[in-house]
């Protein structure tokens, strides 16, 4: 049973995610967003192992959410910020959302959408989600507004902070608010 393609896809996903553990938090325990992660901290052995198992997972005739999520995670192991990468990620999120609708996947899709089509268009798409109870929704809006309207970015980061349920997220959001406030 463990040699089945969905199991290999899940193992691949786990390898890809584990490969970036060291880069996901700074020395103060704050989250480090993907674009700010130090690639030299990524575990190349786990990335190779993940790629091996993702390739092994293609042997079946049934596509599972683990296949799609592992493929998305694979593209995130390529640090280069190129259009091809984000186009692939966006298409994979479209497939994932058809398989299983999830607010987190929808928000991650919007981030990929912003990389392909720009932040202004992504804001319009994000606002269609209407996830007013989700702190990640407001954190994403804060990120999208950051370079367009720092005041709106701060407002959204503050909303995210008020809804965040753990100290790590609150610390990260507080830092973003403080950094943007210094610029104003």
């Amino acid at each position: 049973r463990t040699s089945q393609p969905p199991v290999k896809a899940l193992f691949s996903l786990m390898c890809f995610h584990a490969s970036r553990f060291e880069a996901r938090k700074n020395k103060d325990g704050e989250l480090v967003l993907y674009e700010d992660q130090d690639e030299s901290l990524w575990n190349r052995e786990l990335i190779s192992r993940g790629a091996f198992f993702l390739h092994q997972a293609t042997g079946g005739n049934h596509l599972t959410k683990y296949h799609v999520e592992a493929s998305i995670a694979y593209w995130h192991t390529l640090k280069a910020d190129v259009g091809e990468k984000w186009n692939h990620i966006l298409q994979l999120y479209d497939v994932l959302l058809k398989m299983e609708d999830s607010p987190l996947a929808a928000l991650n899709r919007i981030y990929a959408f912003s990389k392909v089509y720009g932040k202004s268009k992504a804001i319009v798409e994000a606002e269609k989600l209407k996830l007013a109870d989700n702190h990640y929704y407001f954190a994403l809006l804060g990120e999208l507004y950051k370079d367009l309207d720092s005041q709106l970015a701060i407002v959204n980061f503050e909303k995210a902070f008020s809804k965040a349920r753990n100290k790590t997220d609150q610390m990260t959001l507080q830092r973003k608010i403080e950094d943007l406030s210094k610029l104003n």
Side-chain angles (χ1 to χ4, degrees):
R1 299 221 100 169
T2 59
S3 65
Q4 298 296 314
V7 175
K8 290 180 180 179
L10 177 58
F11 192 66
S12 170
L13 175 63
M14 293 166 64
C15 288
F16 289 138
H17 281 307
S19 73
R20 295 190 296 120
F21 280 169
E22 292 297 316
R24 287 186 171 169
K25 287 191 178 182
N26 66 17
K27 64 183 178 348
D28 298 322
E30 295 174 349
L31 290 177
V32 177
L33 295 178
Y34 173 75
E35 61 193 30
D36 299 324
Q37 289 178 10
D38 180 353
E39 186 180 357
S40 71
L41 297 175
W42 294 357
N43 184 317
R44 294 287 161 204
E45 183 180 330
L46 282 173
I47 291 170
S48 294
R49 188 178 268 177
F52 172 79
F53 282 104
L54 182 57
H55 179 72
Q56 294 291 307
T58 61
N61 58 1
H62 182 67
L63 183 68
T64 68
K65 76 175 198 162
Y66 298 128
H67 288 89
V68 179
E69 289 175 344
S71 296
I72 291 168
Y74 161 76
W75 282 100
H76 279 94
T77 65
L78 306 174
K79 186 68 170 177
D81 200 22
V82 294
E84 175 192 13
K85 167 183 163 175
W86 293 107
N87 273 314
H88 282 286
I89 292 172
L90 179 59
Q91 290 171 17
L92 288 163
Y93 273 117
D94 288 341
V95 171
L96 183 61
L97 286 167
K98 287 178 185 170
M99 297 173 111
E100 181 179 284
D101 193 16
S102 149
L104 190 56
L107 291 170
N108 285 327
R109 180 198 173 275
I110 296 297
Y111 182 79
F113 185 94
S114 76
K115 292 294 201 173
V116 175
Y117 297 106
K119 291 182 177 185
S120 294
K121 289 182 180 179
I123 290 168
V124 173
E125 290 298 307
E127 290 175 344
K128 290 177 187 176
L129 296 176
K130 299 182 180 173
L131 296 172
D133 292 331
N134 187 313
H135 79 280
Y136 294 116
Y137 170 72
F138 291 108
L140 174 63
L141 285 173
E143 285 298 321
L144 295 174
Y145 275 115
K146 196 164 55 174
D147 298 326
L148 303 173
D149 184 331
S150 61
Q151 284 304 113
L152 276 175
I154 291 170
V155 166
N156 281 287
F157 284 135
E158 287 172 342
K159 287 179 184 177
F161 180 88
S162 72
K163 294 180 181 304
R165 293 185 213 126
N166 66 60
K167 289 282 185 206
T168 302
D169 288 350
Q170 288 175 337
M171 285 178 10
T172 302
L173 292 162
Q174 185 63 43
R175 183 179 43 80
K176 290 185 170 297
I177 293 166
E178 290 169 1
D179 289 349
L180 281 171
S181 295
K182 290 176 190 173
L183 299 175
N184 289 328

